[in-house]
Amino acid sequence: MMNSAKNDHLLSIFSKLITILILALLFAPFSLFSDDREENIDVFLVLDKSLSMVEEIDSVTEYVKDEIINNILIDGDFFLLLQFYGKAEVLFATEVGSLADQEEQLTRTVKAIAADGYYTDIGNALDQLQATLTRYDDRQRRRYMLLITDGKQEAPPESQYYSPDGSFNHEFLENSKVIQKQGWKIHILGIGSGNAAKELADTLSGTYSETDEEPTPEEIAEETKELLGTVVIANQPQARDFSRRGRSRLKLDLESSGYAEVQTIRIDRVYFDLPRGETVVGRDIELSVSPDSTESYTIPLNYDGQESLAGEEIEVRIDFATGPVFTPAVFQAEILPLGFIARYWPYIVAGLLVLLLILLIILLISRGAFAGRRLVLNVDFEDGERRKTIELKANDRLYVCEGISGLDAALTKAGDLLATLHGEGDELLIEVDDEDVLLGGSVRGNVLGKTLKFRDRYGKFRAVTFTQKAG
């Protein structure tokens, strides 16, 4: 009994440990990811510290301390922390050595951020970020940017990104293309900002999520749990030159990592940067990308230009609909020449048609289709008791001869030749060497239906009638 009770107690403890472990796995996705990660990454945290963030800033800084610093970063990662309003300031930008040694400094820096700035110049913040990163551009690392804001672009009047209505001006859009080419994973977290921050995510080809106003650190963590999930272009994209019908296909190899579920990527537009300017060559495309996989995808393209693009590298820009994206959103695609069949298919088709026509003509000739119409004749002799049917082709000759058995008509000569007949369409024409053999002399024209009287060797006239057989 004591052993049984002891075993039950151990079983109870073991069950509790399993439950705790499952809960830890469910509610600590970042920790799980960072513990398993061996390669180092660059993490850029861009925080809006304008006055409108005053009620949210404490939750944001708490989230940064608990999730970014404690759960995402590992030794050797590069971490950049930038705060912005009308101006931008880099607070921290270095490789993380021992987190145990730097955690206090990072935490102190984050907790010191106060929402006390005027304006919201996102374009200037991105400029400051890129300027800081120039010294690290030679490293091949995956880069992740998280931008947290509660408002739209509201640059001060002296900024190059200023616009009266707060829209993204030309300079901002051109700058966003530079970022899109670099292939960063960009996530925009809008805090109670509705579509304002979403427009920024669309412009930067980033993913987007949002919280209600005054979120808790846990709510922010939930909305950014897939920050390290990426779908990236794995190899050089390629496309064949456009066919005569203006069609092609863009081949992409996409590598997915960090996601637990299938990512459905919806492409709104595909642009080629051509001499005439950016041109839409594809639209409304959907790709399903499986977790932790590398797969090939083809995107149908259409272009009505006449010039060949073969041998060139064309800049491609992708406009995504809302949802997951792949990076980079702006990239170079190699345009390959058309294959032999695709290049010469009109001539190949024309040649095949000519060959088929020749074969058809040969077949028709072999079956007499061009030999003219056939005449099927009834031949009636004078005695009325003899009738024969003869099929006369266009090139056949029908001979009227006098033989041992008397007058006869056949396709071969048998006896003394009296007359030769041949068909032309629906007519039967006659030729005679001696017109005296015919009663009445020479006969002209069609003899179908006429009674012809031939003189036999005894000087007696024998009648023969040729008629066309009905049907």
Side-chain angles (χ1 to χ4, degrees):
M1 290 295 292
M2 289 181 63
N3 287 337
S4 176
K6 184 176 180 180
N7 289 337
D8 289 343
H9 179 65
L10 291 174
L11 182 60
S12 175
I13 293 174
F14 181 74
S15 299
K16 290 179 181 179
L17 289 174
I18 291 296
T19 301
I20 292 171
L21 179 59
I22 291 175
L23 290 174
L25 292 175
L26 290 175
F27 293 101
F30 281 127
S31 177
L32 177 63
F33 188 94
S34 62
D35 286 346
D36 288 345
R37 177 165 57 87
E38 295 181 358
E39 76 283 359
N40 286 119
I41 61 174
D42 295 349
V43 179
F44 315 140
L45 181 60
V46 182
L47 296 182
D48 182 354
K49 61 159 289 181
S50 59
L51 285 170
S52 58
M53 285 282 290
V54 67
E55 295 181 350
E56 297 92 353
I57 197 66
D58 286 343
S59 291
V60 171
T61 55
E62 192 68 25
Y63 156 77
V64 173
K65 181 177 71 72
D66 291 344
E67 294 297 330
I68 302 293
I69 296 174
N70 293 339
N71 289 337
I72 291 183
L73 295 175
I74 63 174
D75 291 352
D77 286 346
F78 176 84
F79 180 57
L80 183 147
L81 175 60
L82 183 148
Q83 65 178 9
F84 73 96
Y85 52 107
K87 299 180 180 180
E89 180 185 3
V90 175
L91 301 179
F92 191 94
T94 188
E95 277 193 3
V96 177
S98 171
L99 279 175
D101 298 335
Q102 292 181 300
E103 182 176 348
E104 182 180 351
Q105 178 190 354
L106 281 171
T107 302
R108 186 169 60 252
T109 301
V110 169
K111 295 299 288 184
I113 297 174
D116 55 4
Y118 292 96
Y119 297 108
T120 308
D121 193 347
I122 299 172
N124 181 57
L126 296 177
D127 281 348
Q128 184 69 36
L129 173 60
Q130 292 187 85
T132 306
L133 294 175
T134 54
R135 72 191 73 170
Y136 304 101
D137 283 344
D138 58 336
R139 302 183 312 179
Q140 297 298 318
R141 287 189 178 186
R142 291 192 178 181
R143 291 181 163 182
Y144 303 81
M145 184 182 86
L146 173 61
L147 190 151
I148 302 178
T149 180
D150 75 331
K152 62 182 180 179
Q153 167 81 354
E154 291 179 336
E158 65 272 16
S159 170
Q160 64 174 322
Y161 301 114
Y162 170 77
S163 62
D165 58 357
S167 61
F168 298 119
N169 62 15
H170 175 75
E171 287 75 13
F172 187 96
L173 295 176
E174 287 300 309
N175 190 32
S176 70
K177 286 184 65 174
V178 174
I179 295 176
Q180 288 172 324
K181 292 179 183 180
Q182 294 171 339
W184 304 354
K185 164 62 184 293
I186 298 174
H187 187 81
I188 310 299
L189 176 65
I191 298 183
S193 58
N195 291 328
K198 181 181 181 302
E199 183 182 358
L200 174 63
D202 293 340
T203 303
L204 294 173
S205 296
T207 53
Y208 171 78
S209 61
E210 64 180 51
T211 67
D212 295 331
E213 293 184 0
E214 302 183 34
T216 65
E218 291 76 20
E219 289 170 340
I220 297 175
E222 176 63 24
E223 293 301 328
T224 58
K225 63 184 179 182
E226 292 185 333
L227 173 63
L228 299 187
T230 59
V231 178
V232 300
I233 297 176
N235 298 304
Q236 168 78 61
Q238 293 180 333
R240 290 285 181 186
D241 198 7
F242 288 90
S243 68
R244 293 176 182 267
R245 299 174 64 184
R247 295 180 180 176
S248 182
R249 301 182 77 85
L250 176 66
K251 179 186 175 184
L252 292 175
D253 293 337
L254 298 180
E255 178 184 350
S256 171
S257 64
Y259 287 112
E261 298 177 350
V262 172
Q263 300 299 296
T264 301
I265 298 175
R266 296 178 176 86
I267 297 174
D268 186 37
R269 296 286 188 276
V270 180
Y271 295 89
F272 272 16
D273 189 6
L274 302 174
R276 66 170 71 174
E278 275 200 334
T279 303
V280 177
V281 295
R283 62 185 71 222
D284 301 328
I285 300 139
E286 187 173 294
L287 308 175
S288 294
V289 184
S290 301
D292 296 321
S293 66
T294 300
E295 301 178 34
S296 294
Y297 300 83
T298 54
I299 296 176
L301 305 176
N302 289 278
Y303 172 56
D304 59 3
Q306 299 302 313
E307 71 272 20
S308 172
L309 304 177
E312 298 185 28
E313 283 200 353
I314 300 295
E315 183 174 279
V316 183
R317 182 170 68 86
I318 306 293
D319 269 356
F320 297 98
T322 301
V325 302
F326 61 74
T327 60
V330 179
F331 54 88
Q332 299 289 318
E334 181 184 6
I335 309 300
L336 304 176
L338 289 171
F340 178 82
I341 293 178
R343 189 184 311 172
Y344 296 109
W345 71 265
Y347 306 103
I348 295 173
V349 171
L352 289 174
L353 289 176
V354 170
L355 179 60
L356 288 174
L357 181 60
I358 292 172
L359 292 175
L360 179 61
I361 291 173
I362 293 173
L363 178 63
L364 292 174
I365 290 174
S366 68
R367 296 191 175 184
F370 299 104
R373 183 171 178 178
R374 300 180 184 187
L375 283 175
V376 181
L377 303 174
N378 287 326
V379 184
D380 293 288
F381 295 91
E382 184 181 39
D383 54 20
E385 296 181 357
R386 283 200 301 150
R387 167 178 279 197
K388 64 191 304 185
T389 299
I390 297 177
E391 184 176 328
L392 187 64
K393 298 178 183 178
N395 296 326
D396 286 346
R397 292 292 183 267
L398 178 61
Y399 303 102
V400 178
C401 299
E402 183 184 10
I404 298 176
S405 58
L407 207 63
D408 195 12
L411 297 177
T412 57
K413 298 177 183 179
D416 297 330
L417 178 65
L418 301 179
T420 304
L421 299 97
H422 69 277
E424 289 189 7
D426 288 331
E427 295 184 346
L428 182 65
L429 306 181
I430 189 170
E431 302 171 14
V432 292
D433 292 332
D434 183 2
E435 294 184 355
D436 290 339
V437 301
L438 279 172
L439 180 64
S442 177
V443 177
R444 298 287 185 269
N446 184 19
V447 298
L448 275 176
K450 295 180 181 181
T451 299
L452 304 176
K453 292 186 177 182
F454 294 92
R455 186 193 305 270
D456 64 12
R457 69 185 63 181
Y458 303 109
K460 187 176 180 179
F461 287 94
R462 305 290 183 182
V464 181
T465 304
F466 297 94
T467 57
Q468 188 171 0
K469 184 177 181 181

